[in-house]
Amino acid sequence: MRTILVWIPPVRLSELPKGALAVVERVLDAHAADPIAQRLRDLGFVDGEPVRVVAVGPMGGDPVLIQIGFTRFALRRAEAARVSVRAEVAA
Amino acid sequence: MSASSLRIALVGNPNCGKTALFNLLTGGRQKVANYAGVTVERKEGRFMAPSGRLLQILDLPGTYSLEANSPDEQITRDICAGTFPGEAVPDLIVCVADATNLRLHLRFVLEVKRLGRPVVLALNMMDTARSRGIVIDVPELSRRLGLPVVETVAVKRGGAQALIERVDGEVPAAAPRQPDDAADRADLHAQVRELLTATVTMPRVTAEIDDALDRWTLHPVFGLAILAVVMFLVFQAVYSLGKPMTDAIGDGFGWLGAHVAAWMPAGPLQSLVNDGLFGGLGTVLGFLPEILVLFFFIIVLEESGYLPRAAFLLDRLMLSVGLTGRSFIPLLSSFACAIPGIMGTRSITDPRDRLTTILIAPLMTCSARLPVYALLIGAFIPIHYVFGVFNLQGLVLFALYLAGILGAMLVGWVMKHIRRDKSEHALMMELPSYRLPKLRDVAIGLYERGMIFLRRLTGVILGLTVLMWFLSTFPGAPEGATRPAIEYSFAGYIGRALQYVFAPIGFNWQISLALIPAFAARETAVAALATVYLVGGESGGLGQALAGQIPLASALSLLVWFAYAPQCMSTLAIIKRETDSWRNVAISFGYMFVMAYTASFIVYQVTRALT
């Protein structure tokens, strides 16, 4: 099976299914001076960083567990929705 | 700073093994207090370096960034910058980074370096890094960072040798201070990537063991099942290890009190020593085994990395009632006793979530309520089978536990809607690698919790216990009195006065009186009722006496009262201690009183109408 990287428009990290791979585009502020968005950037959610949805919570798929770099972060959906990503899809 | 001492601040990301390193360096020589004006824990330790220099080490709260989002992070930022009032500027900052997680941790190192203060980088967990095949070119990393870098293994004896030698030597020169702006912050990530490419070889990004364990522990079905099993085992241990020790301590002090009293002339002093002092000590120290057993498991679960996994599984559920996944363990602990539960809220970093958890923790049915429940249920609820399988007595007990949980959910939900600060508070919780907890770290953690309880609370609780004893003893019964002495005491008068307050919820003056000593410890309500109803200690007799003299409606009302009432002053004392605010004590007392009164009123009036 070949893996082809296809360009698709940016989506939010919260929309990805379990197991999905993606690359961070940027973190969007939910409001002016959003401390949560700033902290996400400090945690490494910056342009070009690969991420993976490792697991989702048992209730409503919330929170989501994201592998970024060597670290795993549990993010609530509202937090993950701040991260704009380019999904990598295996075709 | 004198030439013979050096102030060191230990900083790092959460989960970098900073506290384990601190424990290794200082051993038991630690002082735990709070920072001035806030309820953030301040941990300082000291040790003598080989050169004879005294090293004073401050273990600062872990943070991902100097852009602080919470009070503990502000403290780390301000102390590193040297602007925290009342704290000396550290002579040296030791920045601790997990060698297996440098992508995240090096960014913080760069941020600290920009403060323009002398910094040493400790690459911690080098043993784990090596076993995972991670290769770090330390001299090159040091050269590129412009900082001295030492390797440490916080979990091994002698694992901090290189660090001790380095800090004992000459204080390194500080890097130039750099201004902080948004463009630079983004740039730090680029610098980290460059550093990693140049100095670190990483065979794979995660540890295989973590992936394997997480597949099970975070599984929607198996994960919850594992959590249920873990919690079940913890509770079994609390009841099979903690409870007998608690009873033994209570009995021991009772025996000791009786023996000391035997040497004393009869009179108020004898009564004070026996009932007030030894009885009170038995109650206070009786909390200790359960607290220690519970904390043993909480610390082991936290150190092993399982606690954040449990929080991950339950976050959605807890969030719906205004809490966070991290609230779960403290609330669960409160089923044994609210005191360790409230002390356990320290693992909740967000102050608002922590306060909500503290306020609802006492609604969980603690073990001290059980004797009261057992007495009243045994006396008033018939052994009757519902649908042929469920014992009605068991159902009522279950309903009382459920009442506590539903009440807590209701309060959490109401608080979520009435609080002024409705802003979004983030989870953003790291799930660290699994680790085997080290005996030293568990022992130091347990010692600290035990000492906090003994030092800060024993005085308060003992004082209040003696006060309760005073109220129930004085003035003594007059000559030729036929009724129990307690009826003539202040407690008797207060009980009689309180009956007007409690009449609408069906409490007579005897019950109102029993509520007074119950404030010291709930289970003493049973003994107090026995005293006023003139029966011996065994509860079978008391149950019959109660059933003859109290209507069913009052008994049910009393059960509900115990489910919600602001009782046990030890809990209120720990709320004061953990939140450092009388206002929070007043809020918890007030809301629980209103809640208990309302619920008992409804139960009493409805039952009366139906029977």
Side-chain angles (χ1 to χ4, degrees), chain B residues 21 25 94 120 122 150-152 160-168:
Chain B
L21 193 60
L25 287 172
V94 173
V120 169
V150 293
E151 299 181 17
T152 57
Q161 203 49 46
L163 177 64
I164 294 173
E165 281 163 21
R166 186 64 199 79
V167 299
D168 197 21

Side-chain angles (χ1 to χ4, degrees), chain A residues 48-70:
Chain A
E49 198 67 30
V51 289
R52 184 164 63 92
V53 182
V54 181
V56 297
M59 279 156 267
D62 191 12
V64 289
L65 183 62
I66 307 296
Q67 175 84 43
I68 178 160
F70 315 139

